[in-house]
Amino acid sequence: MTKIVKLHRGLDIRLAGVAKKEKIAIKSGNVYALQPDDFEGVKPKVVVKEGDKVKAGDALFVNKAYPEVKFASPVSGTVTLIERGERRKVLSVQVEADAKQEYVDFGKKDVSKLSADDVKASLLEAGLFGYINQLPYAISTNPTTAPKAIFVSALRDMPLAGDFEFEVKGQEADFQTGLEALSKIAKVYVGVGKDSQLVPVNVNVPVEYVVFSGKCPAGNVGVQVNHLDPVNKGEVVWTVDPTAVLFFGRLFNTGKVNLTRTLALAGSEVENPAYFDALVGSQVILNELVKADKTLRIIAGNPLTGKPQTGATVVVGAHCSEITVIPEGDHADEIFGWIMPRFKQFSVSRSYFSWLFPKKDGYVLDARVKGGERHMIMSGEYDKVLPMDIYGEFLIKAIIAQDIDKMEALGIYEVSPEDFALAEFVDSSKLELQKIVREGLNMLRKENE
């Protein structure tokens, strides 16, 4: 029987522009950009030069600390640019795709006959191992870690997030192969929603499917780890995006690196919210797909955790499952301000009369913060949306104070920045909680190295 975990804290933000479960064609450029910043904690060392010819699956850069961890090119073609920023930081490695694609052949493999070392070696050789993350620190892991468990959250419930169950249709065999490969290394937990169709009739013994019932952020892998197998000091768990599991499965089933993923194009300012297929590194052109009557905030990712973009061309990140478009908010003219009843605006408090319609869908929220940063108020508001056995407000204060002992005692080893996305949304102090958590994790990692 499938285990069920019921969560009683959280918050569902029902925004307008949810992607319809249909696929559309979308314009993209012929240049693909693999971005090291998509792999948190990796210090890249570029192993190609401008003008080099590469095949899909060839390494573009490696992790300087662990050179065996390669990062594969999504396409075959010519390296046209190694983009660098301040202090020569590598921002992207760009490849102009060939008209006819060529792939490195890594050979099909029968996963049932592989050992844990064989699986690791295959992922390292093909440049896919870096897609595996870990807790603590919420970073890309390395081959020396020995996870006590591996977690895959196939439940995406952030506002406007893409539905993985739609993405995986027709690719179930690759998903199962990827899970079976990971199960050779450690026990695998797969988190799903209560109406999931992913749970197979004959469940592979090393893979445990767990239903998470509750509001967002039930789909956050950190929340699932907290409820199933919390991370203590000295322990490591691996976390894998479900699309990366598809990448792994395709590698073993076909012998080739195929970094195609299905993304949701969503948001109130999208003309036709739907899904589209794209390779990691694709430069997606949105000009004709979004409304042009106001200033837009285009986000690679969902509105709470995604990265704001500076133009209408968005690079598909390694872990990006949606592109969302919302109003910037500079057009807003709210007469009489807060004293208006605001039936059509969302609020977590009862400041607006919209609380009378708790199941209303289709709110249009813009990118305004609506207030400035102020002193932290210990009101318990984080705890209402954080379904984890930690004291969120006290942890944030410990990070700000750079008190490592308290950070450890308050559970920093089992959190990632995205776990505080909803707390940041409801925070009356307007603090950048995800940024604070990331700084705390980086501080702790540096201290323990």
Side-chain angles (χ1 to χ4, degrees):
M1 182 178 177
T2 306
K3 182 177 181 179
I4 299 176
V5 176
K6 294 184 179 180
L7 304 180
H8 302 287
R9 289 177 286 172
L11 176 67
D12 287 331
I13 307 172
R14 301 182 178 90
L15 300 185
V18 174
K20 293 177 285 189
K21 292 184 179 179
E22 59 185 41
K23 288 189 179 181
I24 58 174
I26 197 164
K27 288 183 179 179
S28 63
N30 194 43
V31 175
Y32 294 76
L34 197 64
Q35 303 171 122
D37 278 353
D38 289 341
F39 305 95
E40 191 67 48
V42 169
K43 293 182 179 179
K45 178 182 178 182
V46 179
V47 294
V48 292
K49 301 187 295 293
E50 292 180 7
D52 284 356
K53 296 287 290 183
V54 295
K55 294 181 180 180
D58 280 333
L60 297 180
F61 56 87
V62 300
N63 187 348
K64 190 178 295 185
Y66 300 93
E68 65 271 35
V69 180
K70 309 170 188 176
F71 295 87
S73 173
V75 294
S76 68
T78 304
V79 178
T80 56
L81 177 66
I82 298 171
E83 184 184 10
R84 296 183 183 270
E86 294 182 5
R87 302 178 66 179
R88 292 187 57 77
K89 176 183 176 181
V90 180
L91 301 180
S92 69
V93 180
Q94 300 183 18
V95 179
E96 184 175 355
D98 291 333
K100 183 179 180 181
Q101 288 294 293
E102 297 182 68
Y103 297 83
V104 178
D105 187 359
F106 296 101
K108 298 179 183 179
K109 294 180 176 68
D110 184 349
V111 172
S112 65
K113 298 178 181 178
L114 300 181
S115 66
D117 289 340
D118 293 334
V119 171
K120 279 188 181 181
S122 296
L123 296 178
L124 286 167
E125 182 187 19
L128 296 180
F129 190 88
Y131 286 81
I132 301 174
N133 291 336
Q134 70 165 64
L135 291 176
Y137 311 129
I139 58 173
S140 180
T141 195
N142 66 74
T144 66
T145 58
K148 65 173 182 173
I150 300 174
F151 287 82
V152 178
S153 176
L155 169 62
R156 296 180 181 142
D157 59 358
M158 284 289 181
L160 302 178
D163 185 348
F164 177 70
E165 303 221 3
F166 179 76
E167 177 180 355
V168 79
K169 284 184 178 178
Q171 305 180 79
E172 291 84 358
D174 290 333
F175 188 62
Q176 290 302 319
T177 298
L179 291 177
E180 187 178 353
L182 291 172
S183 72
K184 299 287 183 175
I185 300 171
K187 181 173 181 178
V188 176
Y189 292 94
V190 181
V192 296
K194 62 180 180 180
D195 298 320
S196 175
Q197 303 297 312
L198 285 178
V199 184
V201 176
N202 298 313
V203 178
N204 190 9
V205 175
V207 179
E208 181 176 345
Y209 288 79
V210 183
V211 173
F212 282 83
S213 175
K215 297 178 180 179
C216 176
N220 280 17
V221 72
V223 172
Q224 298 179 8
V225 171
N226 180 265
H227 284 270
L228 296 176
D229 197 356
V231 181
N232 300 307
K233 186 174 183 178
E235 296 178 336
V236 173
V237 300
W238 287 358
T239 64
V240 186
D241 183 270
T243 304
V245 177
L246 288 176
F247 297 164
F248 302 164
R250 292 171 193 157
L251 173 66
F252 292 113
N253 288 338
T254 68
K256 299 176 182 178
V257 169
N258 181 348
L259 299 181
T260 302
R261 61 185 308 151
T262 300
L263 297 92
L265 178 60
S268 60
E269 305 312 301
V270 176
E271 294 284 3
N272 179 31
Y275 288 81
F276 66 96
D277 290 336
L279 283 167
V280 169
S282 299
Q283 300 194 44
V284 177
I285 303 167
L286 300 180
N287 299 77
E288 299 176 2
L289 302 173
V290 297
K291 300 175 183 177
D293 58 339
K294 62 189 74 166
T295 309
L296 304 179
R297 175 71 63 92
I298 297 175
I299 305 166
N302 67 71
L304 295 186
T305 66
K307 298 178 181 178
Q309 306 296 295
T310 55
T313 299
V314 181
V315 176
V316 174
H319 301 287
C320 181
S321 56
E322 57 275 328
I323 295 172
T324 53
V325 187
I326 61 175
E328 184 66 40
D330 55 1
H331 68 289
D333 184 13
E334 297 184 355
I335 188 170
F336 298 121
W338 60 268
I339 64 174
M340 296 295 286
R342 303 193 185 197
F343 287 103
K344 296 182 179 181
Q345 295 196 31
F346 181 83
S347 174
V348 293
S349 67
R350 295 191 173 185
S351 303
Y352 306 162
F353 283 113
S354 56
W355 71 267
L356 294 169
F357 311 100
K359 295 186 179 181
K360 173 181 168 60
D361 290 328
Y363 287 104
V364 177
L365 297 188
D366 55 45
R368 288 176 296 160
V369 178
K370 296 186 177 179
E373 187 174 315
R374 62 204 77 172
H375 292 297
M376 190 172 177
I377 302 168
M378 301 293 286
S379 61
E381 59 189 353
Y382 299 178
D383 295 335
K384 295 176 183 178
V385 296
L386 187 62
M388 301 174 74
D389 189 21
I390 61 173
Y391 294 105
E393 291 172 343
F394 289 95
L395 177 56
I396 293 295
K397 288 184 70 175
I399 295 172
I400 294 172
Q402 299 186 6
D403 189 330
I404 289 177
D405 289 338
K406 282 190 177 179
M407 287 158 56
E408 291 180 336
L410 289 166
I412 193 170
Y413 286 115
E414 54 189 298
V415 303
S416 59
E418 69 173 8
D419 296 327
F420 282 80
L422 278 172
E424 183 176 302
F425 177 77
V426 304
D427 184 20
S428 55
S429 299
K430 309 299 181 184
L431 299 177
E432 294 184 64
L433 300 184
Q434 294 180 79
K435 180 181 178 182
I436 291 171
V437 172
R438 172 46 63 197
E439 290 172 349
L441 292 169
N442 290 344
M443 181 199 316
L444 194 63
R445 181 160 60 97
K446 185 177 181 180
E447 184 73 17
N448 289 335
E449 284 180 347

